[in-house]
Amino acid sequence: MTEPGGGPVTGGGGRATGRERAGGVHARGRGLRLLRGVAYAALPAEFVLFVCLLAGVRIPGGVLLAGEALVLGLLAAEVVVWVRLRRRGLSRRAVAAELVPGPALRLIGHELRLLASLGRWIARRPHGVAGADGVFPHGRDQAALMYGFAFVCVVETVGMSYLLAEWPFVHAVFLVLDVYTVLFVLGLHAASVTRPHTLAGNVLRLRQGAHVDVSVPLDRISAVRRELCFSHEKAEGELNLAVGSQTSVTIELTGPVDAPRLLGTPRPVHTLRVHADDPRALYDALTRARTGPSPSPGPLPTA
């Protein structure tokens, strides 16, 4: 027997190579777990040191030096592991998944999508509508509620700034948290506005904010109903994408599709209740796409 490169290999050598590869994978797994463990311990400790410094607490120089050395060593180890995994042919996304736990990556991605949605909202650039046959916005009926939340957060920010003016450090911490809360609330609404439902080819894409994105093949839809619902009880296999506490279109499937939760946990669903600013347009578009065009179907709504 020969290797692809042409060199002879004995049966015993092949078995040894397999054991060596398995041992290498196991060692790499232990190394990554060790690196994550150090990160879990070092980053909170570094945050505590940072807060203590801002608060004016005197910290021995040796403790500061050890903390900085630990963080620099951790960053250096992350860079080394990144380079090695990239040389082995892993993509950037795969390497990031190896170095950072999946739930943490998904939370970070959600926050980044919210911030990006604010920019898209200002620039009036919807996400994922290029090439779509139909675009169905769904954020209008929650606008007043979200603006109200944002206004309350702004009032709370001003009030806390006045009350904490005599404690600069506490004032700075609460100011950052309050400003981020305002941006978060606006980002939630911006994500709904800039991520409408779309119909492209034979796939219906249903979205809510920056955390739900479900693709439904049209041949898996068994029934579509215009159905206004204001109360939604949680049930296994059902997904309610309510906007302003209401849904207006119910979609039943012949088989389940996966609608992963925020942290990536699989969630098979066979019934979806969604909302659209114009539920009749969504219903008519799905009916035409599934059964063929009517005598005068009219154009589908676009962004």
Side-chain angles (χ1 to χ4, degrees), residues 105-139:
L105 277 179
R106 293 186 69 89
L107 286 175
I108 293 172
H110 179 259
E111 300 297 310
L112 293 177
R113 287 193 295 273
L114 289 183
L115 295 178
S117 297
L118 287 171
R120 286 183 172 274
W121 190 29
I122 295 172
R124 298 180 179 274
R125 294 181 56 192
H127 175 273
V129 299
D133 301 319
V135 177
F136 311 96
H138 57 268

Side-chain angles (χ1 to χ4, degrees), residues 91-105:
S91 65
R92 291 186 179 89
R93 184 181 295 272
V95 175
E98 289 281 353
L99 293 176
V100 184
L105 277 179

Side-chain angles (χ1 to χ4, degrees), residues 8-282:
V9 178
T10 63
R15 287 193 296 273
T17 301
R19 287 196 298 270
E20 289 173 0
R21 290 177 178 173
V25 171
H26 183 64
R28 187 181 72 184
R30 285 188 302 177
L32 288 173
R33 287 195 296 270
L34 177 62
L35 193 59
R36 287 180 180 177
V38 173
Y40 290 152
L43 296 182
E46 187 72 10
F47 177 75
V48 170
L49 285 177
F50 177 72
V51 171
C52 290
L53 287 173
L54 287 180
V57 178
R58 294 179 62 87
I59 299 177
V63 175
L64 291 177
L65 182 61
E68 295 305 315
L70 179 61
V71 172
L72 291 176
L74 179 63
L75 292 176
E78 294 272 0
V79 171
V80 170
V81 173
W82 178 281
V83 172
R84 287 184 175 178
L85 293 179
R86 288 287 290 157
R87 286 179 177 176
R88 292 178 182 176
L90 274 70
S91 65
R92 291 186 179 89
R93 184 181 295 272
V95 175
E98 289 281 353
L99 293 176
V100 184
L105 277 179
R106 293 186 69 89
L107 286 175
I108 293 172
H110 179 259
E111 300 297 310
L112 293 177
R113 287 193 295 273
L114 289 183
L115 295 178
S117 297
L118 287 171
R120 286 183 172 274
W121 190 29
I122 295 172
R124 298 180 179 274
R125 294 181 56 192
H127 175 273
V129 299
D133 301 319
V135 177
F136 311 96
H138 57 268
R140 181 188 63 196
D141 292 331
Q142 72 174 15
L145 179 64
M146 300 306 288
Y147 292 151
F149 276 147
F151 176 74
V152 170
C153 290
V154 170
V155 172
E156 190 264 348
T157 300
V158 175
M160 291 300 293
S161 296
Y162 175 77
L163 294 174
L164 299 175
E166 297 181 1
W167 296 278
F169 171 70
V170 180
H171 172 268
V173 172
F174 273 87
L175 181 61
V176 170
L177 293 176
D178 288 338
V179 170
Y180 183 76
T181 300
V182 174
L183 291 177
F184 185 84
V185 172
L186 292 177
L188 288 175
H189 180 58
S192 294
V193 172
T194 59
R195 286 174 161 79
H197 306 314
T198 60
L199 180 61
N202 294 318
V203 176
L204 172 66
R205 188 178 184 183
L206 302 173
R207 298 186 284 186
Q208 185 180 58
H211 61 285
V212 177
D213 193 336
V214 185
S215 294
V216 181
L218 293 184
D219 58 8
R220 198 170 293 187
I221 297 177
S222 61
V224 180
R225 299 190 303 274
R226 288 184 60 191
E227 185 177 54
L228 188 61
C229 299
F230 289 95
S231 61
H232 306 87
E233 296 182 1
K234 291 185 178 181
E236 191 69 23
E238 296 184 0
L239 179 62
N240 301 307
L241 303 182
V243 177
S245 300
Q246 63 179 315
T247 58
S248 50
V249 177
T250 300
I251 302 171
E252 295 182 357
L253 309 179
T254 58
V257 297
D258 187 27
R261 303 179 192 275
L262 177 61
L263 298 183
T265 306
R267 176 174 51 182
V269 296
H270 53 72
T271 300
L272 301 104
R273 296 184 181 90
V274 302
H275 184 65
D277 293 347
D278 187 352
R280 181 182 181 85
L282 176 59

